Amino acid sequence: MIPIRDIERWHESAHYRKKSDWVCIDQPKVIKEWLPKHALGQLLCAEGRELPDWTSGYECVQVSYDWLVGVTKKPSHPGVMAVFERPAYNVSNLMRCQSALVLDGIQDPGNMGTIVRSMVAFGCQSLCLTSDCVDPFHPKAVGASSGAIGHIQGIYYEHHWKEWLSSTAMPVYVLDPLACQSIWDVAPKPYVLVCGSEGRGIQSSLISSVSITPLSIPTSDHVESLNAAMSVSIALNKLSRGMHK
């Protein structure tokens, strides 16, 4: 049984989340979707609350509703939380992937979750993160992904992908609003897409050291730039079109 205090720490601390071998989910629809595919560590249910029928098939640890609200900071909580084993990814899958997204310095968990959701929607297989990106298993990121993070084929950190990025035969595109070449002019094919934060752009020396092709997303003159999540979503839709059926 996972101690209640450890679940509190998971919600409070990014450092603790990175050390943990599990992830918390509190969206009933997402929990039900994850149950057949991921190892369930613990199910927590609010005392005195009506719960989905499917929870009756699982042993449920009773907790107070106020505790769930306090831990998750959700004023209206569905009353159920599941702790799943954190997904593990084989680095060899990165070497064989046909599409990958590299994020540099994306720190907003809502943006991270939206990006993950778009990756799954448009068939992008691998997510590579620099060390200063927000944890993709941050509770707000998991929520913003609507559980799509459970369908990502691989999530990799710098020590996993630095050698792969310098040796991959796939073209490496970086989103840059000032780039002369438009993303509309790129034909769908295996790719690596790189996106930095809206405010700082690309900061990673690992990314700067490889051959990259800057691409812009044309917009009207009334908009200076798009935020990272929107830019990535548009770019993935364009680059993946026709690749994944």
Side-chain angles (χ1 to χ4, degrees), residues 4-12 24 26 64-74 77 81 139:
I4 293 297
R5 180 55 188 148
D6 284 353
I7 295 175
E8 292 172 348
R9 288 193 186 103
W10 188 91
H11 281 83
E12 293 168 358
C24 293
D26 61 359
S64 74
Y65 180 78
D66 289 344
W67 179 83
L68 284 171
V69 170
V71 167
T72 63
K73 306 297 188 293
K74 292 182 177 180
H77 196 277
M81 176 189 291

Side-chain angles (χ1 to χ4, degrees), residues 13-234:
S13 168
H15 176 71
Y16 188 82
R17 277 193 299 275
K18 288 182 179 179
K19 291 170 55 180
S20 299
D21 294 325
W22 40 270
V23 55
C24 293
I25 295 178
D26 61 359
Q27 298 162 292
K29 176 179 177 293
V30 177
I31 294 173
K32 187 177 180 181
E33 181 182 312
W34 274 48
L35 281 170
K37 304 172 185 176
H38 302 277
L40 176 67
Q42 193 162 293
L43 188 66
L44 298 93
C45 303
E47 298 167 341
R49 293 274 168 164
E50 185 177 353
L51 299 171
D53 293 339
W54 54 262
T55 60
S56 62
Y58 298 89
E59 182 179 351
C60 203
V61 176
Q62 297 291 310
V63 296
S64 74
Y65 180 78
D66 289 344
W67 179 83
L68 284 171
V69 170
V71 167
T72 63
K73 306 297 188 293
K74 292 182 177 180
S76 179
H77 196 277
V80 61
M81 176 189 291
V83 180
F84 287 96
E85 183 178 317
R86 190 180 181 116
Y89 309 102
N90 194 324
V91 178
S92 64
N93 292 336
L94 177 62
M95 310 303 167
R96 297 192 296 267
C97 78
Q98 296 295 299
S99 54
L101 175 65
V102 181
L103 298 179
D104 182 13
I106 302 300
Q107 297 179 341
D108 180 84
N111 276 345
M112 179 64 74
T114 300
I115 288 170
V116 166
R117 193 173 181 179
S118 293
M119 285 183 65
V120 174
F122 300 122
C124 185
Q125 299 167 332
S126 297
L127 176 61
C128 300
L129 305 171
T130 58
S131 58
D132 57 349
C133 280
V134 67
D135 177 15
F137 290 101
H138 186 292
K140 291 183 179 178
V142 173
S145 80
S146 292
I149 194 167
H151 298 286
I152 292 287
Q153 294 185 26
I155 298 176
Y156 307 100
Y157 300 93
E158 288 187 10
H159 61 283
H160 295 133
W161 57 260
K162 60 181 181 180
E163 293 184 6
W164 164 80
L165 186 64
S166 63
S167 61
T168 181
M170 294 188 291
V172 181
Y173 303 121
V174 59
L175 292 176
D176 180 350
L178 302 179
C180 296
Q181 185 174 357
S182 164
I183 196 167
W184 308 139
D185 299 328
V186 176
K189 59 183 176 181
Y191 65 87
V192 179
L193 178 67
V194 179
C195 181
S197 67
E198 185 177 358
R200 301 175 62 199
I202 302 302
Q203 298 292 310
S204 169
S205 58
L206 294 174
I207 297 171
S208 302
S209 65
V210 302
S211 177
I212 56 179
T213 300
L215 296 175
S216 62
I217 299 174
T219 61
S220 77
D221 294 337
H222 303 295
V223 176
E224 183 177 347
S225 64
L226 302 172
N227 81 358
M230 186 174 293
S231 297
V232 168
S233 299
I234 293 170

